[in-house]
Amino acid sequence: MTPVAASPLTRKLSAFVTLSEAELAVLARLHGRRRSFVAGRDMAHQGQSDQAAYILSAGWVCSYKIQPDGTRQIVDFQVPGDFLGLRSVLLRTSDHSFEPIVDVEAAEVLTSDLLEAFAQTPRLATAILWAASRDEAMVVEHLVGIGRRDAGARMAHFLLELGSRLALVGMGSKEGYDCPLTQYHLADALGLSAVRWTPKTGHS
């Protein structure tokens, strides 16, 4: 099995279509420009133009927007197998920022790489757009959750959805999954208040 055949993105796309050798070869080329990013340092900034897209190979990332008053709202989390910035590449401007939650490995994909891949393998393009549409549908559910579900239902739906996404790329099962998200990440994403710990003072 070639490395790209076992990659998280290939696992994800294979849930939609069985990829041919030619399509796997194109995917391998898309994975060719490897980069590493440290936790806490943005991979892309809101408003940035001519930004590359990334295929996340290892690690977790959050996408967020900065509001006019300077506050941050996490809009989604990305896990291995996800495309980061696909919409921004096509629209030529990033409408949000990406921040690694842990150190990550990703393949940088330039606009020219993406357009060439789509022209060479239309079926692969369809599979990538299927994956992007599936992720977009989850973001819509996330928005509904913030607006209409109570805190418990919001958290439960999010964790189950996350488990489903991780299972698709072989990183989760019915028994559970590893998750690096803190209560502050969850609170920011789900519109909840983070629990704050206050040390006791005084003498016993």
Coordinates of all heavy atoms in Angstrom, one line a residue, residues 73-139:
Q73 N -14.5 33.9 17.8 CA -15.5 32.9 17.7 C -15.0 31.7 16.9 O -14.7 31.8 15.7 CB -16.8 33.4 17.0 CG -17.9 32.3 16.8 CD -18.5 31.7 18.1 OE1 -18.9 32.5 18.9 NE2 -18.4 30.4 18.2
I74 N -14.8 30.5 17.5 CA -14.4 29.3 16.8 C -15.6 28.9 16.0 O -16.7 28.7 16.5 CB -13.9 28.2 17.7 CG1 -12.6 28.7 18.4 CG2 -13.7 26.9 17.0 CD1 -12.1 27.7 19.4
V75 N -15.4 28.6 14.7 CA -16.6 28.2 13.8 C -16.5 26.7 13.5 O -17.5 26.1 13.1 CB -16.6 29.1 12.6 CG1 -17.0 30.5 12.9 CG2 -15.3 29.0 11.8
D76 N -15.3 26.1 13.6 CA -15.2 24.7 13.3 C -13.8 24.2 13.8 O -12.9 25.0 14.1 CB -15.3 24.5 11.8 CG -15.7 23.0 11.4 OD1 -16.0 22.2 12.4 OD2 -15.6 22.7 10.3
F77 N -13.7 22.9 13.9 CA -12.5 22.2 14.1 C -12.1 21.3 12.9 O -13.0 20.7 12.4 CB -12.5 21.4 15.4 CG -12.8 22.2 16.7 CD1 -14.0 22.2 17.2 CD2 -11.7 22.8 17.3 CE1 -14.2 23.0 18.4 CE2 -11.9 23.6 18.4 CZ -13.2 23.7 19.0
Q78 N -10.9 21.2 12.6 CA -10.4 20.4 11.5 C -9.6 19.2 12.1 O -8.8 19.5 13.0 CB -9.6 21.2 10.5 CG -10.4 22.0 9.6 CD -11.0 23.3 10.2 OE1 -10.3 23.9 11.1 NE2 -12.2 23.6 9.9
V79 N -9.8 18.0 11.5 CA -9.1 16.9 12.0 C -8.3 16.3 10.7 O -8.6 16.7 9.6 CB -10.0 15.8 12.6 CG1 -10.7 16.4 13.8 CG2 -11.1 15.4 11.6
P80 N -7.4 15.3 10.9 CA -6.7 14.8 9.8 C -7.7 14.3 8.7 O -8.7 13.6 9.0 CB -5.9 13.6 10.4 CG -5.6 14.1 11.8 CD -6.8 14.8 12.2
G81 N -7.3 14.6 7.4 CA -8.2 14.2 6.3 C -9.0 15.4 5.8 O -9.6 15.3 4.7
D82 N -9.0 16.5 6.6 CA -9.8 17.7 6.2 C -8.9 18.6 5.3 O -7.7 18.7 5.4 CB -10.2 18.5 7.4 CG -11.4 17.8 8.1 OD1 -11.9 16.8 7.6 OD2 -11.7 18.3 9.2
F83 N -9.6 19.2 4.4 CA -9.0 20.3 3.6 C -9.2 21.6 4.4 O -10.3 21.9 4.8 CB -9.8 20.4 2.2 CG -8.9 20.0 1.0 CD1 -9.2 18.8 0.4 CD2 -7.9 20.9 0.5 CE1 -8.4 18.5 -0.7 CE2 -7.2 20.5 -0.6 CZ -7.4 19.3 -1.2
L84 N -8.2 22.4 4.5 CA -8.2 23.7 5.1 C -8.1 24.8 4.0 O -7.2 24.7 3.2 CB -7.1 23.9 6.1 CG -7.2 23.2 7.5 CD1 -7.1 21.7 7.4 CD2 -6.1 23.7 8.4
G85 N -9.0 25.7 4.0 CA -8.9 26.9 3.1 C -9.3 26.6 1.7 O -9.0 27.4 0.8
L86 N -10.0 25.5 1.4 CA -10.4 25.2 0.1 C -11.3 26.4 -0.5 O -11.1 26.8 -1.6 CB -11.2 23.9 0.0 CG -11.6 23.4 -1.3 CD1 -10.4 23.2 -2.3 CD2 -12.4 22.1 -1.2
R87 N -12.3 26.8 0.3 CA -13.1 27.9 -0.2 C -12.3 29.2 -0.3 O -12.5 30.0 -1.3 CB -14.2 28.2 0.8 CG -15.2 29.2 0.4 CD -16.4 29.3 1.3 NE -16.1 29.8 2.7 CZ -16.1 29.0 3.8 NH1 -16.4 27.8 3.7 NH2 -15.8 29.6 4.9
S88 N -11.4 29.4 0.5 CA -10.5 30.7 0.5 C -9.7 30.7 -0.8 O -9.5 31.7 -1.4 CB -9.6 30.8 1.7 OG -10.4 30.8 2.9
V89 N -9.2 29.5 -1.2 CA -8.4 29.4 -2.4 C -9.3 29.8 -3.6 O -8.9 30.5 -4.5 CB -7.8 28.0 -2.6 CG1 -7.3 27.8 -4.0 CG2 -6.6 27.8 -1.6
L90 N -10.5 29.2 -3.7 CA -11.3 29.5 -4.8 C -11.8 30.9 -4.9 O -12.0 31.5 -5.9 CB -12.5 28.5 -4.8 CG -12.1 27.0 -4.9 CD1 -13.3 26.1 -4.8 CD2 -11.4 26.7 -6.2
L91 N -12.1 31.5 -3.7 CA -12.5 32.9 -3.6 C -11.4 33.9 -3.5 O -11.6 35.1 -3.5 CB -13.5 33.1 -2.4 CG -14.8 32.2 -2.4 CD1 -15.6 32.5 -1.2 CD2 -15.6 32.5 -3.7
R92 N -10.2 33.4 -3.4 CA -8.9 34.2 -3.4 C -8.7 35.1 -2.1 O -7.8 35.8 -2.1 CB -8.9 35.1 -4.6 CG -8.9 34.3 -5.9 CD -8.7 35.2 -7.1 NE -8.7 34.5 -8.4 CZ -8.6 35.0 -9.6 NH1 -8.4 36.3 -9.7 NH2 -8.6 34.2 -10.6
T93 N -9.6 34.9 -1.2 CA -9.4 35.7 0.1 C -9.9 34.8 1.2 O -11.0 34.2 1.1 CB -10.2 37.0 0.1 OG1 -9.8 37.8 -1.0 CG2 -10.0 37.7 1.4
S94 N -9.2 34.7 2.3 CA -9.5 33.9 3.5 C -10.5 34.7 4.3 O -10.3 35.8 4.7 CB -8.3 33.5 4.3 OG -8.6 32.8 5.4
D95 N -11.7 34.1 4.6 CA -12.7 34.7 5.4 C -12.6 34.3 6.9 O -13.5 34.8 7.7 CB -14.1 34.5 4.8 CG -14.5 33.0 4.8 OD1 -13.7 32.2 5.2 OD2 -15.6 32.7 4.4
H96 N -11.6 33.5 7.2 CA -11.4 33.2 8.6 C -9.9 32.8 8.8 O -9.2 32.6 7.8 CB -12.4 32.1 9.1 CG -12.3 30.8 8.2 ND1 -13.0 30.7 7.0 CD2 -11.7 29.7 8.4 CE1 -12.8 29.6 6.5 NE2 -12.0 28.9 7.3
S97 N -9.5 32.6 10.0 CA -8.2 32.2 10.4 C -8.1 30.7 10.8 O -9.1 30.1 11.2 CB -7.6 33.0 11.5 OG -7.6 34.4 11.2
F98 N -6.9 30.1 10.6 CA -6.7 28.7 11.0 C -5.6 28.7 12.1 O -4.5 29.2 11.8 CB -6.3 27.8 9.9 CG -7.4 27.6 8.9 CD1 -7.4 28.3 7.7 CD2 -8.4 26.7 9.1 CE1 -8.4 28.1 6.7 CE2 -9.4 26.5 8.2 CZ -9.4 27.2 7.0
E99 N -5.9 28.1 13.2 CA -4.9 28.0 14.3 C -4.7 26.5 14.7 O -5.6 25.9 15.1 CB -5.3 28.8 15.5 CG -4.3 28.7 16.6 CD -4.8 29.4 17.9 OE1 -5.3 30.6 17.8 OE2 -4.8 28.8 19.0
P100 N -3.5 26.0 14.6 CA -3.2 24.6 15.1 C -3.4 24.6 16.6 O -3.0 25.4 17.4 CB -1.8 24.4 14.8 CG -1.4 25.4 13.7 CD -2.3 26.6 14.0
I101 N -4.2 23.6 17.1 CA -4.4 23.3 18.5 C -3.2 22.6 19.1 O -2.9 22.8 20.3 CB -5.7 22.6 18.7 CG1 -6.9 23.5 18.3 CG2 -5.9 22.1 20.1 CD1 -8.2 22.7 18.2
V102 N -2.7 21.7 18.3 CA -1.4 21.0 18.6 C -0.5 21.2 17.4 O -0.9 21.7 16.4 CB -1.7 19.5 18.9 CG1 -2.6 19.3 20.1 CG2 -2.4 18.8 17.7
D103 N 0.7 20.7 17.6 CA 1.6 20.7 16.4 C 1.0 19.9 15.3 O 0.5 18.8 15.6 CB 3.0 20.2 16.8 CG 3.8 21.1 17.7 OD1 3.3 22.2 18.0 OD2 4.8 20.7 18.2
V104 N 1.0 20.4 14.1 CA 0.4 19.7 13.0 C 1.3 19.5 11.8 O 2.3 20.2 11.6 CB -0.9 20.4 12.5 CG1 -1.9 20.7 13.6 CG2 -0.6 21.7 11.8
E105 N 0.9 18.5 11.0 CA 1.6 18.2 9.7 C 0.5 18.4 8.6 O -0.6 17.9 8.8 CB 2.1 16.8 9.6 CG 3.2 16.5 10.7 CD 4.5 17.2 10.4 OE1 4.8 17.5 9.2 OE2 5.3 17.4 11.4
A106 N 0.9 19.1 7.5 CA -0.1 19.4 6.5 C 0.6 19.5 5.1 O 1.8 19.8 5.1 CB -0.9 20.7 6.8
A107 N -0.1 19.2 4.1 CA 0.4 19.4 2.7 C -0.1 20.7 2.2 O -1.4 20.9 2.2 CB 0.0 18.2 1.9
E108 N 0.8 21.5 1.7 CA 0.3 22.8 1.1 C -0.1 22.6 -0.3 O 0.6 21.9 -1.1 CB 1.5 23.8 1.1 CG 1.2 25.2 0.7 CD 2.4 26.1 0.7 OE1 3.4 25.7 0.1 OE2 2.3 27.1 1.3
V109 N -1.3 23.1 -0.7 CA -1.8 22.9 -2.0 C -2.1 24.3 -2.6 O -2.9 25.1 -2.1 CB -3.2 22.1 -2.0 CG1 -3.7 21.9 -3.4 CG2 -2.9 20.8 -1.3
L110 N -1.4 24.6 -3.7 CA -1.5 25.9 -4.3 C -2.8 25.8 -5.3 O -3.2 24.8 -5.6 CB -0.3 26.3 -5.2 CG 1.0 26.3 -4.4 CD1 2.2 26.6 -5.4 CD2 1.0 27.2 -3.2
T111 N -3.3 27.0 -5.6 CA -4.4 27.1 -6.5 C -4.2 26.3 -7.8 O -5.0 25.6 -8.3 CB -4.8 28.5 -6.8 OG1 -5.0 29.2 -5.6 CG2 -6.1 28.6 -7.6
S112 N -3.0 26.5 -8.4 CA -2.6 25.9 -9.6 C -2.6 24.3 -9.5 O -3.0 23.6 -10.4 CB -1.3 26.4 -10.1 OG -0.3 26.2 -9.1
D113 N -2.1 23.8 -8.3 CA -2.1 22.4 -8.1 C -3.6 21.9 -8.1 O -3.9 20.8 -8.7 CB -1.5 22.1 -6.7 CG -0.1 22.6 -6.5 OD1 0.6 22.6 -7.6 OD2 0.3 22.9 -5.4
L114 N -4.4 22.6 -7.4 CA -5.8 22.1 -7.3 C -6.5 22.1 -8.6 O -7.2 21.2 -9.0 CB -6.5 23.1 -6.3 CG -7.8 22.6 -5.6 CD1 -7.6 21.3 -4.9 CD2 -8.4 23.6 -4.7
L115 N -6.4 23.2 -9.4 CA -7.1 23.3 -10.6 C -6.6 22.3 -11.6 O -7.3 21.7 -12.4 CB -6.9 24.7 -11.2 CG -7.6 25.9 -10.4 CD1 -7.3 27.2 -11.1 CD2 -9.1 25.6 -10.3
E116 N -5.3 22.0 -11.6 CA -4.7 21.0 -12.5 C -5.2 19.6 -12.1 O -5.6 18.8 -12.9 CB -3.2 21.0 -12.4 CG -2.5 19.9 -13.3 CD -1.0 20.0 -13.1 OE1 -0.5 20.8 -12.4 OE2 -0.3 19.1 -13.8
A117 N -5.3 19.3 -10.8 CA -5.8 18.0 -10.3 C -7.3 17.9 -10.7 O -7.7 16.8 -11.1 CB -5.7 17.9 -8.8
F118 N -8.1 18.9 -10.6 CA -9.5 18.8 -10.9 C -9.7 18.6 -12.5 O -10.5 17.9 -12.9 CB -10.2 20.1 -10.6 CG -10.5 20.2 -9.1 CD1 -10.0 19.3 -8.2 CD2 -11.3 21.2 -8.6 CE1 -10.3 19.3 -6.8 CE2 -11.6 21.3 -7.2 CZ -11.1 20.4 -6.3
A119 N -8.8 19.2 -13.3 CA -8.9 19.1 -14.7 C -8.5 17.7 -15.1 O -9.1 17.1 -16.1 CB -8.0 20.1 -15.4
Q120 N -7.5 17.1 -14.5 CA -7.0 15.7 -14.8 C -8.0 14.6 -14.4 O -8.1 13.6 -15.1 CB -5.6 15.5 -14.2 CG -4.5 16.3 -14.8 CD -3.2 16.1 -14.1 OE1 -3.1 15.4 -13.1 NE2 -2.1 16.6 -14.7
T121 N -8.6 14.8 -13.2 CA -9.4 13.7 -12.6 C -10.7 14.3 -12.1 O -10.9 14.6 -10.9 CB -8.6 13.1 -11.5 OG1 -8.2 14.1 -10.5 CG2 -7.4 12.3 -12.0
P122 N -11.7 14.5 -13.0 CA -13.0 15.1 -12.6 C -13.7 14.3 -11.5 O -14.3 14.8 -10.6 CB -13.8 15.0 -13.9 CG -12.8 15.0 -15.0 CD -11.6 14.3 -14.4
R123 N -13.5 12.9 -11.5 CA -14.1 12.1 -10.4 C -13.5 12.4 -9.1 O -14.2 12.4 -8.1 CB -14.0 10.6 -10.8 CG -15.0 9.8 -10.1 CD -15.0 8.4 -10.7 NE -13.7 7.7 -10.2 CZ -13.7 6.5 -9.6 NH1 -14.9 5.9 -9.4 NH2 -12.6 6.0 -9.3
L124 N -12.2 12.6 -9.0 CA -11.5 13.0 -7.8 C -12.0 14.4 -7.3 O -12.3 14.6 -6.1 CB -10.0 13.0 -8.0 CG -9.2 13.5 -6.8 CD1 -9.4 12.5 -5.6 CD2 -7.7 13.5 -7.1
A125 N -12.2 15.3 -8.3 CA -12.7 16.6 -8.0 C -14.1 16.5 -7.3 O -14.4 17.1 -6.3 CB -12.8 17.5 -9.2
T126 N -15.0 15.6 -7.9 CA -16.3 15.4 -7.3 C -16.2 14.8 -5.9 O -17.0 15.3 -5.0 CB -17.1 14.4 -8.2 OG1 -17.2 14.9 -9.6 CG2 -18.5 14.2 -7.7
A127 N -15.3 13.9 -5.7 CA -15.1 13.4 -4.3 C -14.7 14.4 -3.3 O -15.2 14.5 -2.2 CB -14.1 12.2 -4.4
I128 N -13.8 15.3 -3.7 CA -13.3 16.3 -2.8 C -14.4 17.3 -2.6 O -14.6 17.8 -1.4 CB -12.1 17.1 -3.5 CG1 -10.9 16.1 -3.4 CG2 -11.8 18.4 -2.7 CD1 -9.6 16.7 -4.2
L129 N -15.2 17.7 -3.6 CA -16.4 18.6 -3.3 C -17.4 17.9 -2.5 O -18.1 18.6 -1.7 CB -16.9 19.0 -4.7 CG -16.0 19.9 -5.5 CD1 -16.6 20.3 -6.9 CD2 -15.7 21.2 -4.8
W130 N -17.6 16.6 -2.6 CA -18.5 15.8 -1.7 C -18.1 16.0 -0.3 O -18.9 16.3 0.6 CB -18.5 14.4 -2.1 CG -19.2 13.5 -1.0 CD1 -20.5 13.3 -0.8 CD2 -18.5 12.8 0.0 NE1 -20.7 12.5 0.3 CE2 -19.5 12.1 0.8 CE3 -17.1 12.6 0.3 CZ2 -19.1 11.3 1.9 CZ3 -16.8 11.8 1.4 CH2 -17.8 11.2 2.1
A131 N -16.7 15.8 0.0 CA -16.2 15.9 1.3 C -16.4 17.3 1.9 O -16.8 17.5 3.0 CB -14.7 15.5 1.3
A132 N -16.1 18.3 1.0 CA -16.3 19.7 1.4 C -17.7 20.0 1.7 O -18.0 20.7 2.7 CB -15.8 20.6 0.3
S133 N -18.7 19.5 0.9 CA -20.1 19.7 1.2 C -20.6 19.0 2.4 O -21.4 19.6 3.2 CB -20.9 19.2 0.0 OG -20.6 19.9 -1.2
R134 N -20.0 17.9 2.7 CA -20.4 17.2 4.0 C -19.9 18.0 5.2 O -20.6 18.1 6.1 CB -19.7 15.8 3.9 CG -20.0 14.9 5.1 CD -19.3 13.5 5.0 NE -19.6 12.6 6.0 CZ -19.0 12.6 7.2 NH1 -17.9 13.4 7.4 NH2 -19.3 11.7 8.1
D135 N -18.7 18.5 5.1 CA -18.2 19.3 6.2 C -19.0 20.6 6.3 O -19.3 21.0 7.5 CB -16.7 19.7 5.9 CG -15.8 18.5 5.9 OD1 -16.2 17.4 6.5 OD2 -14.7 18.6 5.4
E136 N -19.4 21.2 5.2 CA -20.2 22.4 5.3 C -21.6 22.1 5.9 O -22.1 22.9 6.7 CB -20.4 22.9 3.9 CG -21.0 24.3 3.8 CD -20.0 25.4 4.1 OE1 -18.8 25.1 4.1 OE2 -20.4 26.5 4.5
A137 N -22.2 21.0 5.7 CA -23.4 20.6 6.3 C -23.3 20.5 7.8 O -24.2 20.8 8.5 CB -23.9 19.3 5.7
M138 N -22.1 20.0 8.2 CA -21.9 19.9 9.7 C -21.8 21.3 10.3 O -22.2 21.5 11.5 CB -20.6 19.0 9.9 CG -20.8 17.6 9.6 SD -19.4 16.6 10.0 CE -19.9 15.0 9.5
V139 N -21.2 22.2 9.6 CA -21.1 23.6 10.1 C -22.5 24.2 10.3 O -22.8 24.9 11.2 CB -20.2 24.5 9.2 CG1 -20.3 25.9 9.6 CG2 -18.8 24.0 9.2

